[in-house]
Amino acid sequence: MVTWWSIKAFGLVICSLIIVVHLHYLPVVSSAGMASLSSSVSFYRNKCIVDVCNNRISPHTSNSVKRIQQYHGLYRKRYSHPKCFSFISAHTCNKQHISSHNPLPRLKDTSCVLKSTLLFSTYTTSDDNSLDRTTDIKGLITQQISTDATIYDLLHSSIQLLDEQSIPEPDESVLHLVSHALNLDWENGYRQLREVIKLSLPFPKDCDSKILHSESTLTLAQQKLTSKQRTTYFSLLERRLQFEPLQYIIGQWDFHYLTGLIIRKPMLCPRPETEELVELVLADIDQLIKKRQLLDANNEDNNRIRILDVGSGTGAVGIAIAHRYPKQVQVVALDLLPEAVALSNENADKFLSSLVGDSINTKDVGSLYQAIACSAEEFTNNAESIDTTNSLQPKYEMNFDIVVSNPPYIPKQDMQDLSTDVVEYESHDALCGGDDGLNVVRDIVNRLPEWTSSPSINTNDQQEKGETRYCWMEVDDSHPSIMEQWLAPGSKESIRLGVEYCSGYKDFCGRDRFVKLKVV
């Protein structure tokens, strides 16, 4: 006879057996596994948004990625890939994935290659230059790429060729080069080709195409280049196979909110971390505008904030600042290279002409942005530089509110570590800052008190308004600690020079990259 107690006992036995079996088949976690798990948890606790190696996005932080992209001015229509954000922010960099990165590609200290649209030709390097310079590049191209290939086949064959030859960012290179050869729209051409490359063979039938892909994408994929287009594309591809920077080949690039900035060698190609420098300066300008509006709300146009950009290059930094605040700022840019001055003013005409009035001419733009040929050392009104024809008239107008500079800062010994596409194409003088990389930085520090003052203004006027003059610089990652000690507040050098160190800031990969100085 079955009693209640016997049923209860039987149930306890069954439960015990289930527990024993479950414990027996639980995976044994080793100490190494626990350490890995712990580091993964720490990786996400440290606000990491993107897994750089696996291109995964933490679901609860995808909005943060977008905000950071917008903050850095890198949110572009043709770079919008919702499932694969390439942008690497200060919150995303973790040393277990990336050992070290520099603002310029180096061969010796980069442990992994980032596949990133936005960081093209900045953080990507090749492990070795496997393409022998004596190789018949034209023959290599014609051997690998059929002259009768469709655009779909052309894209894949070209990417394979660049990848085999260790060219950085082969896919992004090809997409831009094909778009340029086909003369596609700068904003949309790259994105159209990105959709083409995602197609898989065989192409969907007409009845399915409207659901899976747009008709324009399928049409473009099956299109063939004309003889002229093919000749143009092959010549562009040949240049890229010789490691020439993509920005030089296509002649333009985006920087901050400037779409299609004109790029010509030997000026440095604009880099993403310099966009961060612009944002830091814009934050200071915004605060200064608010202070002045509180003091005199009706005197906005007659009280422009004067910005000095030392080392204009393409004009990217100064023009980006002027573009953001066309009614509140006036930018003067310096550069030693006449080609840089000409290019800066050309880009200023392109982006700022519509912001200064109906008529488009250099004089109008000059009221907002002007680049002049001069070095930091020579930009002075000391006795040796006074205009002898009129000794009462200073040569240059000073009284700058903010100085910004991305000077040559690579130490001489590190120049040999730069990758091929940098060292063989970009200006050596715009890269190398002398033995310790601080040659131009010292010139800037020495001139800061003069640049930020004016004989026509009461020396106490700035203090009465509560305004302090600052200088922002992008520097080598070895410099912030040196400058902090050199210009420490209250130190002999700081008092002698009238300049003191305020703070340092890291770039989006966690490297010490920016310094802020104060004129005292």
Side-chain angles (χ1 to χ4, degrees):
M1 182 178 180
V2 179
T3 65
W4 167 251
W5 292 107
S6 61
I7 294 173
K8 189 175 182 180
F10 181 76
L12 289 173
V13 171
I14 295 298
C15 289
S16 300
L17 288 173
I18 292 173
I19 292 172
V20 170
V21 171
H22 180 68
L23 291 174
H24 177 74
Y25 284 101
L26 275 177
V28 177
V29 181
S30 65
S31 59
M34 288 298 292
S36 176
L37 177 63
S38 175
S39 65
S40 297
V41 172
S42 174
F43 185 56
Y44 282 98
R45 282 179 181 171
N46 289 335
K47 298 182 179 180
C48 180
I49 296 167
V50 179
D51 182 328
V52 178
C53 295
N54 298 316
N55 252 333
R56 292 196 301 266
I57 298 177
S58 179
H60 61 280
T61 53
S62 58
N63 288 334
S64 300
V65 177
K66 184 175 180 180
R67 286 200 299 272
I68 293 171
Q69 285 181 302
Q70 289 172 328
Y71 172 79
H72 289 287
L74 295 173
Y75 192 70
R76 300 284 188 267
K77 289 183 179 178
R78 73 178 195 276
Y79 292 143
S80 56
H81 308 303
K83 294 184 180 179
C84 177
F85 287 103
S86 302
F87 178 76
I88 310 300
S89 75
H91 299 293
T92 69
C93 212
N94 185 285
K95 289 186 178 180
Q96 74 184 67
H97 291 284
I98 306 172
S99 64
S100 73
H101 288 289
N102 277 326
L104 296 172
R106 299 188 179 190
L107 298 178
K108 294 184 178 180
D109 65 355
T110 304
S111 62
C112 75
V113 177
L114 300 183
K115 295 296 182 181
S116 165
T117 305
L118 300 174
L119 303 183
F120 179 85
S121 194
T122 302
Y123 290 96
T124 55
T125 68
S126 55
D127 294 330
D128 58 78
N129 297 338
S130 59
L131 182 62
D132 190 335
R133 293 309 176 90
T134 62
T135 301
D136 180 8
I137 297 177
K138 290 184 179 179
L140 195 64
I141 293 173
T142 55
Q143 180 181 356
Q144 180 126 349
I145 303 174
S146 170
T147 56
D148 196 37
T150 63
I151 288 179
Y152 177 86
D153 294 330
L154 180 75
L155 290 172
H156 285 276
S157 299
S158 300
I159 290 171
Q160 182 181 350
L161 174 60
L162 293 187
D163 191 45
E164 289 173 352
Q165 303 303 331
S166 299
I167 303 298
E169 295 291 351
D171 47 352
E172 306 305 333
S173 296
V174 170
L175 290 171
H176 279 290
L177 294 180
V178 173
S179 177
H180 190 65
L182 295 176
N183 199 28
L184 298 179
D185 178 67
W186 173 250
E187 286 287 338
N188 299 313
Y190 175 94
R191 185 169 56 184
Q192 289 175 309
L193 291 171
R194 171 65 72 181
E195 291 302 314
V196 168
I197 209 171
K198 290 178 183 177
L199 294 173
S200 56
L201 295 173
F203 291 146
K205 298 178 181 178
D206 292 339
C207 59
D208 300 328
S209 64
K210 293 182 180 179
I211 300 175
L212 299 175
H213 304 282
S214 66
E215 290 186 20
S216 61
T217 298
L218 290 170
T219 301
L220 182 61
Q222 299 172 78
Q223 180 182 324
K224 296 181 180 180
L225 274 64
T226 65
S227 177
K228 182 178 180 181
Q229 289 172 337
R230 186 167 54 253
T231 301
T232 300
Y233 174 66
F234 281 8
S235 66
L236 299 176
L237 189 62
E238 183 179 344
R239 291 169 65 182
R240 188 66 187 126
L241 280 165
Q242 297 181 70
F243 287 86
E244 183 174 351
L246 179 66
Q247 292 90 334
Y248 289 159
I249 298 173
I250 62 179
Q252 59 181 336
W253 204 248
D254 289 352
F255 180 86
H256 207 250
Y257 290 97
L258 307 176
T259 302
L261 187 78
I262 303 169
I263 309 294
R264 283 198 294 267
K265 56 183 178 184
M267 276 63 75
L268 296 187
C269 301
R271 288 171 165 83
E273 65 274 9
T274 308
E275 299 191 39
E276 292 186 281
L277 176 66
V278 170
E279 285 292 338
L280 291 168
V281 175
L282 289 175
D284 268 11
I285 293 174
D286 190 53
Q287 291 181 3
L288 191 53
I289 289 173
K290 291 176 182 177
K291 284 183 180 179
R292 292 190 178 182
Q293 286 177 342
L294 288 174
L295 291 173
D296 189 355
N298 299 320
N299 197 29
E300 182 178 308
D301 289 339
N302 296 325
N303 197 19
R304 285 178 177 263
I305 296 169
R306 285 175 52 76
I307 310 294
L308 178 63
D309 176 16
V310 183
S312 67
T314 60
V317 172
I319 295 172
I321 293 171
H323 189 264
R324 175 70 68 86
Y325 293 115
K327 294 182 179 180
Q328 290 91 0
V329 305
Q330 182 182 47
V331 180
V332 175
L334 311 178
D335 205 290
L336 268 174
L337 286 177
E339 302 95 326
V341 173
L343 181 57
S344 295
N345 286 324
E346 183 179 346
N347 274 318
D349 284 340
K350 177 178 179 179
F351 292 100
L352 305 178
S353 292
S354 60
L355 303 178
V356 294
D358 296 330
S359 59
I360 301 176
N361 56 64
T362 306
K363 184 177 181 181
D364 286 335
V365 174
S367 65
L368 177 56
Y369 178 95
Q370 182 182 17
I372 60 176
C374 187
S375 68
E377 184 181 13
E378 295 170 344
F379 191 64
T380 177
N381 287 327
N382 61 24
E384 290 78 10
S385 65
I386 291 293
D387 188 351
T388 55
T389 59
N390 187 354
S391 58
L392 298 178
Q393 182 67 33
K395 187 175 182 180
Y396 300 110
E397 181 184 357
M398 300 298 185
N399 193 34
F400 292 99
D401 298 287
I402 297 175
V403 177
V404 58
S405 181
N406 179 15
Y409 59 70
I410 304 296
K412 187 176 181 180
Q413 62 182 10
D414 291 341
M415 289 295 293
Q416 61 183 353
D417 297 336
L418 298 179
S419 61
T420 305
D421 54 352
V422 173
V423 74
E424 290 195 7
Y425 290 94
E426 297 186 89
S427 169
H428 180 278
D429 292 337
L431 292 166
C432 184
D435 291 340
D436 58 2
L438 289 167
N439 283 3
V440 179
V441 172
R442 292 190 187 91
D443 290 338
I444 292 172
V445 171
N446 287 329
R447 295 295 184 209
L448 275 179
E450 181 185 4
W451 292 345
T452 56
S453 64
S454 173
S456 62
I457 294 180
N458 191 320
T459 55
N460 296 320
D461 190 45
Q462 295 170 15
Q463 286 78 1
E464 290 175 2
K465 291 181 179 180
E467 293 183 4
T468 304
R469 304 298 172 95
Y470 292 107
C471 172
W472 285 94
M473 280 191 278
E474 179 180 325
V475 293
D476 186 73
D477 57 3
S478 65
H479 292 162
S481 59
I482 296 174
M483 297 179 71
E484 184 176 11
Q485 184 176 359
W486 170 36
L487 299 171
S491 66
K492 290 183 180 179
E493 279 296 281
S494 175
I495 295 172
R496 181 182 71 84
L497 294 168
V499 179
E500 70 179 31
Y501 181 91
C502 287
S503 52
Y505 295 82
K506 297 181 183 296
D507 62 17
F508 50 70
C509 271
R511 287 208 141 206
D512 295 324
R513 186 61 58 209
F514 313 106
V515 295
K516 184 179 184 179
L517 307 178
K518 179 171 68 174
V519 180
V520 294

